[in-house]
Amino acid sequence: MRRPFAALLVVAALLTTALTTQPAQAADDGPPAVRALLERVVGKARADQVSLRLQPDEDAEWFHVDAADGRIEVSANSSPALLTGFNRYLKEVAHADVSIMGSQLPATLPLPTAPIERTSTVEHRFALNDTNEGYTGPYQSWQEWERHLDVLALNGVNEALLYVGQDAVYRETFQRFGYSDLEIRDWIPQPAHQPWWLMQNMCCFNSPISTELLDRRVALGRQVADRMRSLGITPVFPGYFGTVPPDFSARNGGVRTVPQGTWVDGLERPDWLDPTTSVFREVASTFYDVQNELFGETGLYKMDLLHEGGTAGPVPVGAASRAVQVALNEAHPDAQWAILGWIGNPLPETLSAVDRGKMLVLDGMSEGDEITNREADFQETPYAFGTIWNFGGHTNMSAALGTWNTKFHEWRTKNGSRLNGIALMPEAIENNPVALEFFMELPWQDGPVDLDEWFASYARARYGVDDVHAQAAWKRLSETAYSTPSFWTAKEGTGYLAHRPQLEIRTDPLNYPVATFDQAFADLLQVAPAARASSAYRYDLVDVGRQVLDNHSRDLLPQIAAAYRAKDLASLRRLNAQWLDLLGRLEKLLATHQDTLFGTLVADARAMAANDAEAAVLEYDTRTLMTTWGERPTEAHLGNYTRRLLGGLIGDFYLPRWRLFLTGLETALQQGKLAQPIDWYANGEQWSRQRNVLPTSPVGDTYTVASELYSLLAENSGLARLDVTADPVTVAPNGSSTLTAVLRNTNGFAASAGVDLSVQTPAGVHAEPLTAVSVDELAPDETFTARWRVTAPDPAALTGLVGVTASVTYGSKTGTVTGGAGLVTGAAPDASYRTFSSNYSTFAQRGSQVAITGGGSDLWLQTEEFGMVYRQAALRHENLVSAKVVRQDDTGPWARAGLLVRNAIGPDNFGVVNLAVTPANGCVLSSDENGDGRFDTVRTAPGIVAPAWIRLHRGPAGFTGDCSSDGVNWTHVGVVAAPGTKPTQDVGFFMTAANGGNGKTGTAVFDNLQIIPTASKGSTSVTK
């Protein structure tokens, strides 16, 4: 039986009464909620030292802090300004720090010796991402919410997104439009995945949600909303823009709904109700009535029309957008529409049609280099300067503080500026506390600050002492992790430890020397003992240690790959043991701090459940979001998206996965076979279904564990990076190439005691030293370069790996680091081939093998940078084309080497199909079906890398792609449509370095191009 809607209102009303009934306060004691916050944060004794004076006026928000009558007096014209002023006093005078991730407070609060006053330069100070509830903690208790709100309020937030309990609004609304309670609950995902349902990206995961959980979430959501209001924070609710359950049209008189197809990895999106219809206005009116009754009214509603690939179908976007805004303002006449600025969002048609004076764009890409004029981009709509410093709550230390420091003030003060706010929108809020504090200070500054002074002040407040080592540590951190210049690097610049196990993992490169970052860890360990007791210090020590290990995973994994490819079992075993040891030590470090434990998220899910059966459902919801991300057949894109380095998650999930993978590599070498592929989705799904208890309380002493880690790393000879290049890569028979090896000591804890480089060449290839090949010492971050002349005589094979081994000594320990470069010899391709290059390619052929060496930033979004050796007009209907990709250099995760089919090869002739292997994304089948230079369809088969066999069949259904690691057992990649194909098409080998514009070049080698008629007309898959 459906729980009556009135019962939900009773729950919310009782809770509201309990929250708002507070004892009367003295006139000069400030708002009761602000006074209560001070007592929670600093304790009643310290709070009693503070006088609060609220003096409302219509001016921009301001605060003033001074000493009066032996007390700290904070005056302001709003509650957020009062709290910002008190927090400014804590930092500047008391040298204290209150954050979500660790805090530090002195025993008493000293009086200020001079006034502190500021005025906010913008109106909107918005916080939280749509995804925050999922990634930070979908089952957070009231106590956890209270802590987060306290910190946000102290940092001046006056608007915050709130999605908790909004599922009940949809539940009640659509029961009035022909659906049963169970049907709606079966459409609503469990809380961890709800943010993407509210954004119309997906539905139904792990459903149905229980009635009891919906009721608990209504009560919690109302409690959070009321607390926000009491602190002067506007709760930002989702507005209604047309999401409907399945079969809505059939149940409501045939009104027009537009299917939205699928989102990432085939996740089904909910249908969209045409906003220009009268039924939409009825649904929206009901939605806002229910929302208002459950959670109260507010002034800002968040909606993203057709977000991330939504389709308008026959509905005019401008008219639909106008109707969405009209429905909002009929329910809430003074409300503003908040919309995300993200890639193509908001749509130009939306901005052209709506009242832009009642819209606020929350810009998620302000820090991007390519973003320069938001007034033009947003058609003069008011906007907030925003940051999304992490995706999925990645735990890497990274943010673009330098960019914020200049760009915000430049944009705010330029002529005609429409900037009127800031938007703090990491996908999860629980990391990078320094970034939160710096960003939220921007509106209270007159202009850019001196970053050296700011970080010195931060270090003193963070640890409560003026310590030279703390200052040095944060200066290094400011110059490395927090000087990120790239919009994407800050979000994707994680290491390899929490990736899906594979030999080739590509993420954005770090923008700083790893050895410099290491030294910040060494500095923190030398901070005075008096500063080590606070949770702030211990969190930072864990955080920096976590980043040190993840950074150095970038050194070790390439060595593991090199040992495996060289079939060096002894080295592989040594490196594998080292890798697993680092993961174990990371788990031990993370286990020492309350704020770095994954088990607390799982425990929260269990605590929200009404019974054990529901606890299993909610725990699975939490575990899967952090691992496989939903229920899908593969881990193509979303799988392992979050990559969180958290205690329990490392030891119980990532470490066993890596052990399974690395053991498989060793077994493969022992047996002389290829390593067996592992179904990582099935592996993750099995783990997510487990019910084992993960730690929720810290174990061990942070400083002791961190010191042990430092000692280990200081003698680790594997912390080095060896880059080897050959110039030229392609040489004529009997020609020569210069081989250059550059060894960088990435170990920031110690100089090497000696380096010796040696070369290993294939048969018939000779190397002659051109420089010294050894050095007595190599300091942290110092490089040593050696060169050889390599001669490839005519009998040499077409391809040969020229290997370089560096013997590196630290103290009494010696280890090896390996690298290599390919050498290609051959003549120009014969007359049966034509060549094409838009990536500065060179070409060589020897027998049936063809090599292409070139660069190229990509083959995507009208970026046409590739090299090709092809046969003109050679592919016909019912033909099969096959080949072997012998070798592919790793120049980027999406580097492609394979087969390309087009009606005609040439500049700007986009389309139609390519099938290629990649270093990090498996075998990929892509099609550009309308010739606009954008892939309309992408199909992937994970885990396949060169050497690999590939084949394409051109049939009536389009093109069918298959790939194989051995030429015998084939993996079906997919079928793609190819309208507009000519009777005959150009076909051949192609490569692009997909280097992202960094200039890196590589070589791809192909063999045995075959084009054969197929025996079975109309088939969509052919077996060789």
Side-chain angles (χ1 to χ4, degrees), residues 52 159 229 377 552 591 629-630 663 667 672 724 731 809 855 913 1007:
L52 299 171
E159 297 161 347
R229 294 185 182 99
D377 296 341
H552 284 297
W629 212 111
T663 300
T667 301
V724 184
V731 297
T809 302
V913 173
D1007 192 13

Side-chain angles (χ1 to χ4, degrees), residues 390-526:
N390 68 48
F391 288 160
H394 295 343
T395 44
N396 57 303
M397 299 179 73
S398 188
L401 271 67
T403 300
W404 303 342
N405 190 40
T406 55
K407 204 170 189 180
F408 169 78
H409 300 291
E410 289 172 358
W411 284 13
R412 181 181 62 79
T413 57
K414 71 179 181 180
N415 290 335
S417 174
R418 299 293 287 164
L419 190 159
N420 192 25
I422 58 170
L424 182 83
M425 299 183 293
E427 290 199 348
I429 197 70
E430 288 188 321
N431 68 356
N432 285 316
V434 65
L436 187 155
E437 293 191 24
F438 187 92
F439 190 82
M440 294 309 301
E441 286 184 18
L442 291 173
W444 304 94
Q445 299 163 352
D446 295 329
V449 299
D450 183 302
L451 287 174
D452 286 343
E453 292 181 3
W454 191 91
F455 274 96
S457 177
Y458 177 81
R460 185 173 184 187
R462 185 72 171 159
Y463 308 137
V465 295
D466 195 4
D467 184 277
V468 63
H469 296 293
Q471 304 281 345
W474 278 100
K475 180 172 176 56
R476 295 188 199 280
L477 294 173
S478 73
E479 294 169 348
T480 53
Y482 296 109
S483 64
T484 304
S486 163
F487 172 76
W488 296 105
T489 299
K491 299 153 187 61
E492 295 286 10
T494 56
Y496 301 157
L497 296 176
H499 269 267
R500 180 175 59 233
Q502 51 192 320
L503 287 176
E504 301 288 352
I505 296 175
R506 299 292 299 191
T507 65
D508 287 333
L510 294 175
N511 64 290
Y512 56 82
V514 169
T516 302
F517 190 94
D518 285 349
Q519 290 158 18
F521 188 48
D523 287 326
L524 278 181
L525 285 168
Q526 296 180 68

Side-chain angles (χ1 to χ4, degrees), residues 6 92 228 250 279 306-307 329 377 409 430 474 476 514 521 585 650 684 699 733 826 850 869 879 963 1000 1006:
E92 292 188 8
M228 286 183 178
V279 173
L306 304 174
H307 177 68
N329 290 136
D377 296 341
H409 300 291
E430 288 188 321
W474 278 100
R476 295 188 199 280
V514 169
F521 188 48
R585 290 178 184 275
I650 292 294
V699 176
V850 170
V869 176
N879 276 185
C963 294
K1000 185 178 289 188
F1006 309 90

Side-chain angles (χ1 to χ4, degrees), residues 715-740:
E715 291 193 341
N716 192 321
S717 58
L719 305 188
R721 178 63 62 94
L722 182 64
D723 293 313
V724 184
T725 58
D727 183 23
V729 173
T730 305
V731 297
N734 295 305
S736 64
S737 176
T738 299
L739 188 73
T740 302

Side-chain angles (χ1 to χ4, degrees), residues 364-372 386 403 407 411 485-488:
M365 301 184 71
S366 299
E367 59 207 5
D369 292 340
E370 74 281 12
I371 306 299
T372 58
T403 300
K407 204 170 189 180
W411 284 13
S486 163
F487 172 76
W488 296 105

Side-chain angles (χ1 to χ4, degrees), residues 559 574 717-722 743 804-808 815-819:
Q559 296 176 44
R574 173 178 55 82
S717 58
L719 305 188
R721 178 63 62 94
L722 182 64
L743 180 76
V804 177
T805 298
S807 174
V808 185
T816 58
V817 182
T818 60

